[in-house]
Amino acid sequence: MHGTPAPHARTAPPDAAGRNTHPVSKNRRRRSYGRHTSVRNVPLRTHWLLLTTLVLTLSAALLLEGYTQHLFDERPDGAPRGQASGASVPAAISSGGPVIEGAAGRTATPAPRTIALTFDDGPDPVWTPKILDVLRRNDVQATFFTVGTRVAENPDLARRIVDEGHQIGLHSFTHTDLGTASAWRRSLELRETQLVIAGATGVTTPLLRPPYSSTNKALGDADWNAVVQAGQEGYLTVLTTLDSQDWRRPGVEAIVAAATPSDSAGHIVLLHDAGGDRTQTIAALEQLVPRLKASGWKFATVGDAVSLPAPMQNAGTADRWQGLALITAIGTSSRLLDLLTWLLWAAGAISLFRAVAVFVAARRHVRMRRRPWGAPVTEPVSVIVPAYNESAGIEAAVRSLLASDHPVEVIVVDDGSTDGTADIVEALRLPGVRVIRQQNAGKPAALNTGIAAASCNLLVMVDGDTVFEPDAVRMIVQPFAHRRVGAVSGNAKVVNRGGLLGRWQHIEYVVGFNLDRRLFDLAECMPTVPGAVGAFRREALLRVGGVSDTTLAEDTDLTMALCRDGWRVVYEERAKAWTEAPASLGALWKQRYRWCYGTLQAMWKHRGALAQRGQAGKLGRRGLVYLLMFQVLLPLLAPVVDVFAVYGLVFLDPLRIVGLWTAFLLLQVLMGLYAFRLDGERPGPLWSLPLQQFVYRQLMYLVVIQSVFTAVAGSRLRWQRMERYGSLQVPVAPSEPLAEAPAEPLAGAPATPRAEPLYGYAAPPAPAPASSPAPQAGEPWAPDPWADPAAPYGGHATDPSWGPHPAAPGPQNHIWPSQQGHPGP
């Protein structure tokens, strides 16, 4: 999915002043998360062109389907019409013959004792073949006035009509009333019908019967305008003299009587081969034709009845190919709509299932969390703060850590900052705080430097833009009382909630963390411990080789590696930390793009978990499948859903579409209320949830699409540092600075010199406490929480500043990274 990463540079232990003394290789510098680009950075432009083309094509297909199917006028031909004035209709037309040349104002009448049988509204796959069979048995030719959309649906029947010697005519494209239609729509209706006839049969025809027309005397002013316009475009309007009334289905004898002439004049008889059950029409034909033949009547097509010279002509090559293209487009749009309908039903069912699942999982998680993890964990903790240009918030972050009610040492690893981040920390001269300077090498390198320098067995990793609550460190390490817990995710919360963007991110974090992450925890497939607030066993980190920089989501990559090594990753919601979220759409895009792309990299890297057993298999078959389904595939289909929603508002029942959307929104609100209650938050921000569906959700869709295209193209992203706004404050009174701040190990922390290599750094052998033996790789977690309701559980979150993202989806109808439980900005 991505190019080969630059090799790690091997860095020596820090000197007495806390500075990293080993030079960083050029390749390493190019892995910078702040300034430099990665090894390969190929800008993508064609994928947006492709996406735009696909969306426009989909929109065009739905527009065509909507026009042909949902603007189709299904009223019967004899439906009552309001009385219209016919003052503009010439007297010669009103009293003339049923075949009208509108432009010239001339009419034609069938020859005496000649009957032209005409059939409207077809072709129909059921009734048209039966009528053709009756006509063939009686050796009669007729004229079929066909609807364009039905010709496109049944081109073989249109071809059979022509091949068997019958004439074919136009009955508009969507059976619309041409008299009430605008001029442009009249032209469109006639032109498109002519094209599909040409594509299906290879001929063109001038014969037109307007829907809802009858005799000359019934023409109104609007109808006459349509007849004149049709004449100007080269069409002959064919009206009727006898209406069989078969559209009423009055009975066979009544149809025969209505279609039987009362004089010897020539007639054009109206019948139907579509539009409903035509059993009576077929039975009436079986009686009418032999009876009239026996009485000396002659049957002919309309053209022959009025002696038109060759009314049907071979279609030109251009018309025929355009007609075939139109037939193909209509068929494709119909199949596409069927597919979309099934996908929407499936997506709706899956979404409902997911909502129920996360709700049930959250309730079960709350009950199980009431049980303690074990004996209280009181051993000291090393807190690692990787920092690059974090001057806006580093003081608040460090002071909040020192205000913890748990013994900590704080190690700030300055990764070549250019804004004086390290100077700020050193000037504070706070006890228990060490600053390590190194050349810019990337966040994973900074974390590995901190791990190598830490003096405790339990490590907490926190970003430089995050402020801890006083009890957060103590809470986040309590799950380590269980011997198989290798990592713990805390609860990151958005501090800058002002404005719609901040409020929307606050909603997705709360709902995503409090619902989806609990489901991941219960399923033992937590995909991410966030860089903003996460805790780890040193021995677990050593066993997986430290923090890798082969993906942009080093937090997700590390968490998945721990799961595959047999460790349990849990969530402790009481460990709360406050972090800054992006304050602009541009910053949000960059952050989520990196998160999403990095997670795709991590999923690809750890795809082997799908075939493994134990804890790794749970990650693969539960976590990765869930991420693929709800975080990748559904968001890719989301624009299709939105386009279909607009389609429904325009062409379907708007009230039904609005009702479905309201039901979906209500489900989101209920999930939000429950999540806010679990997290102890006020539900006020949820008022903006409807707006979030129209703006924020669309942005997250595009993020996933961009990320997938980038991954498929094999391109690499640059590290993009978050903009800091300085909105963090220490939640408690900070510790007073001392004259000197010696960097000494905490009491009770192991002081054995480190010798084991850790990703290029001198690393200590950090034996686990005797009460916490490490699990073997692939060893199943026991007891299995799916079977033992007393087992403790935990969850997940993500890194806000460098490492991409999380994996817990939020409430927004499977919007990918937006609802992955990312805590940080």
Side-chain angles (χ1 to χ4, degrees):
M1 283 180 70
H2 49 81
T4 303
H8 278 280
R10 307 184 68 84
T11 306
D15 61 13
R19 296 177 175 84
N20 196 308
T21 59
H22 196 287
V24 182
S25 71
K26 293 181 180 179
N27 281 341
R28 192 59 157 151
R29 292 192 188 105
R30 297 184 71 184
R31 293 291 303 171
S32 161
Y33 52 85
R35 301 174 289 167
H36 307 294
T37 60
S38 59
V39 175
R40 185 171 166 225
N41 181 28
V42 180
L44 294 179
R45 295 295 181 267
T46 56
H47 66 285
W48 286 117
L49 178 60
L50 176 60
L51 175 62
T52 302
T53 302
L54 290 175
V55 171
L56 291 177
T57 301
L58 173 64
S59 301
L62 291 178
L63 184 64
L64 179 60
E65 180 70 9
Y67 183 84
T68 58
Q69 298 300 320
H70 301 291
L71 292 184
F72 193 97
D73 195 338
E74 295 182 340
R75 293 176 299 162
D77 278 344
R81 304 174 69 195
Q83 293 293 327
S85 169
S88 64
V89 181
I93 299 297
S94 299
S95 59
V99 179
I100 304 173
E101 186 182 2
R106 296 182 298 180
T107 66
T109 303
R113 299 190 68 80
T114 300
I115 288 183
L117 298 179
T118 62
F119 297 89
D120 289 4
D121 297 349
D124 183 273
V126 175
W127 306 110
T128 301
K130 295 180 178 180
I131 289 175
L132 288 173
D133 291 342
V134 173
L135 296 176
R136 185 179 63 249
R137 287 195 299 270
N138 289 274
D139 193 23
V140 169
Q141 272 69 51
T143 304
F144 289 80
F145 290 98
T146 56
V147 178
T149 57
R150 287 179 172 158
V151 172
E153 294 168 359
N154 306 282
D156 292 342
L157 283 178
R159 192 174 303 112
R160 179 182 170 184
I161 289 172
V162 173
D163 290 346
E164 294 187 2
H166 305 287
Q167 285 183 350
I168 195 167
L170 285 65
H171 199 48
S172 82
F173 197 66
T174 59
H175 200 266
T176 190
D177 188 342
L178 297 179
T180 60
S182 60
W184 70 265
R185 187 175 179 187
R186 292 171 185 165
S187 295
L188 179 66
E189 291 276 329
L190 300 183
R191 175 59 178 165
E192 300 307 293
T193 308
Q194 188 74 273
L195 284 178
V196 294
I197 289 176
T201 67
V203 301
T204 59
T205 176
L207 303 179
L208 164 68
R209 172 166 292 161
Y212 309 108
S213 61
S214 56
T215 63
N216 296 51
K217 294 182 180 180
L219 284 175
D221 293 338
D223 300 322
W224 174 241
N225 286 336
V227 171
V228 171
Q229 181 178 342
Q232 293 171 345
E233 296 180 13
Y235 295 98
L236 298 175
T237 300
V238 180
L239 302 181
T240 61
T241 58
L242 290 177
D243 184 354
S244 69
Q245 301 286 311
D246 65 336
W247 52 273
R248 296 181 182 274
R249 300 181 185 84
V252 174
E253 291 299 329
I255 294 174
V256 171
T260 300
S262 59
D263 54 29
S264 61
H267 288 280
I268 296 179
V269 180
L270 172 62
L271 295 149
H272 295 83
D273 64 331
D277 188 339
R278 295 305 172 201
T279 304
Q280 293 182 9
T281 300
I282 295 172
L285 280 176
E286 295 279 16
Q287 297 181 25
L288 177 67
V289 173
R291 184 180 303 177
L292 291 179
K293 276 190 172 183
S295 300
W297 286 85
K298 175 185 176 183
F299 289 90
T301 64
V302 168
D304 292 340
V306 297
S307 301
L308 291 177
M312 293 194 305
Q313 302 289 330
N314 291 330
T317 302
D319 284 349
R320 185 161 189 177
W321 280 107
Q322 290 181 56
L324 289 173
L326 182 57
I327 292 172
T328 302
I330 292 174
T332 302
S333 64
S334 178
R335 290 188 291 272
L336 179 61
L337 184 64
D338 292 341
L339 175 61
L340 288 180
T341 302
W342 280 106
L343 288 176
L344 287 175
W345 279 108
I350 293 174
S351 299
L352 182 61
F353 172 78
R354 170 184 167 273
V356 173
V358 297
F359 178 77
V360 172
R363 289 181 59 86
R364 184 178 178 188
H365 192 275
V366 170
R367 291 195 300 268
M368 293 180 176
R369 177 57 73 240
R370 293 170 184 165
R371 295 178 175 270
W373 290 102
V377 176
T378 59
E379 63 178 285
V381 174
S382 294
V383 182
I384 303 170
V385 187
Y388 175 81
N389 288 351
E390 296 287 358
S391 60
I394 192 65
E395 179 178 355
V398 172
R399 288 187 180 276
S400 73
L401 294 170
L402 291 182
S404 299
D405 59 8
H406 192 91
V408 299
E409 70 166 352
V410 179
I411 304 171
V412 178
V413 182
D414 184 86
D415 193 55
S417 297
T418 59
D419 66 347
T421 297
D423 297 333
I424 292 173
V425 179
E426 289 176 340
L428 297 176
R429 306 179 71 181
L430 297 173
V433 178
R434 282 189 284 164
V435 177
I436 300 176
R437 298 174 185 259
Q438 69 176 33
Q439 296 184 47
N440 183 254
K443 185 181 180 183
L447 289 171
N448 285 328
T449 297
I451 294 170
S455 59
C456 300
N457 290 317
L458 299 182
L459 309 178
V460 171
M461 297 181 185
V462 55
D463 287 325
D465 66 334
T466 304
V467 166
F468 270 39
E469 293 195 354
D471 63 349
V473 174
R474 174 169 54 86
M475 290 298 182
I476 202 171
V477 298
Q478 295 310 307
F480 290 118
H482 199 293
R483 68 187 183 88
R484 295 187 183 278
V485 173
V488 183
S489 167
N491 185 354
K493 304 174 75 63
V494 176
V495 66
N496 51 332
R497 304 177 180 180
L500 280 176
L501 191 60
R503 188 175 292 111
W504 289 338
Q505 292 177 85
H506 169 51
I507 291 174
E508 79 168 352
Y509 285 179
V510 171
V511 177
F513 284 170
N514 279 297
L515 297 180
D516 288 335
R517 67 181 175 188
R518 298 175 188 271
L519 178 62
F520 280 122
D521 195 8
L522 287 173
E524 299 183 42
C525 59
M526 189 67 61
T528 304
V529 170
V533 50
F536 302 85
R537 288 190 193 273
R538 174 188 292 279
E539 61 180 309
L541 294 175
L542 291 173
R543 282 176 41 160
V544 298
V547 183
S548 170
D549 72 345
T550 57
T551 73
L552 292 185
E554 82 287 331
D555 49 1
T556 302
D557 186 4
L558 176 60
T559 306
M560 291 182 178
L562 292 173
C563 289
R564 296 186 69 185
D565 195 44
W567 294 95
R568 178 70 201 275
V569 180
V570 299
Y571 167 68
E572 177 50 75
E573 67 270 21
R574 296 174 297 174
K576 297 179 181 179
W578 298 83
T579 186
E580 285 188 321
S584 67
L585 288 176
L588 178 66
W589 173 276
K590 292 179 181 178
Q591 181 204 62
R592 300 311 173 87
Y593 184 20
R594 175 172 46 80
W595 281 0
C596 182
Y597 181 78
T599 296
L600 290 174
Q601 288 179 308
M603 291 171 63
W604 181 256
K605 178 179 177 179
H606 295 283
R607 64 191 183 279
L610 290 166
Q612 291 181 284
R613 296 183 179 182
Q615 192 65 40
K618 293 175 183 177
L619 170 69
R621 290 183 290 277
R622 298 176 186 175
L624 296 185
V625 170
Y626 187 94
L627 290 177
L628 179 64
M629 179 178 297
F630 293 106
Q631 314 292 324
V632 180
L633 296 181
L634 284 181
L636 287 177
L637 292 174
V640 175
V641 175
D642 291 338
V643 171
F644 189 83
V646 175
Y647 169 87
L649 290 174
V650 175
F651 295 110
L652 303 179
D653 183 0
L655 293 178
R656 180 183 177 187
I657 298 300
V658 172
L660 290 174
W661 186 85
T662 302
F664 167 76
L665 181 61
L666 179 61
L667 179 63
Q668 302 299 312
V669 171
L670 292 176
M671 293 175 63
L673 288 172
Y674 184 57
F676 271 59
R677 177 187 174 190
L678 291 179
D679 211 40
E681 294 280 355
R682 295 180 179 179
L686 291 175
W687 71 264
S688 64
L689 193 58
L691 295 176
Q692 188 187 45
Q693 303 300 306
F694 290 108
V695 181
Y696 193 84
R697 190 166 59 103
Q698 317 305 321
L699 180 66
M700 296 304 104
Y701 292 161
L702 294 178
V703 164
V704 177
I705 293 170
Q706 168 90 346
S707 301
V708 170
F709 271 108
T710 305
V712 171
S715 301
R716 297 292 301 277
L717 297 183
R718 69 173 66 193
W719 287 105
Q720 297 165 330
R721 181 189 171 275
M722 271 297 302
E723 180 182 356
R724 302 306 179 200
Y725 313 103
S727 56
L728 296 171
Q729 295 180 353
V730 182
V732 295
S735 303
E736 290 297 327
L738 301 180
E740 298 292 339
E744 298 179 356
L746 292 175
T752 307
R754 270 79 174 176
E756 297 182 8
L758 174 65
Y759 230 76
Y761 299 91
S771 60
S772 301
Q776 298 299 314
E779 181 180 351
W781 167 269
D784 186 345
W786 290 96
D788 181 6
Y793 294 86
H796 125 229
T798 71
D799 175 6
S801 65
W802 296 294
H805 98 204
Q812 278 73 255
N813 187 25
H814 322 302
I815 303 172
W816 191 34
S818 76
Q819 33 208 51
Q820 302 173 334
H822 280 284

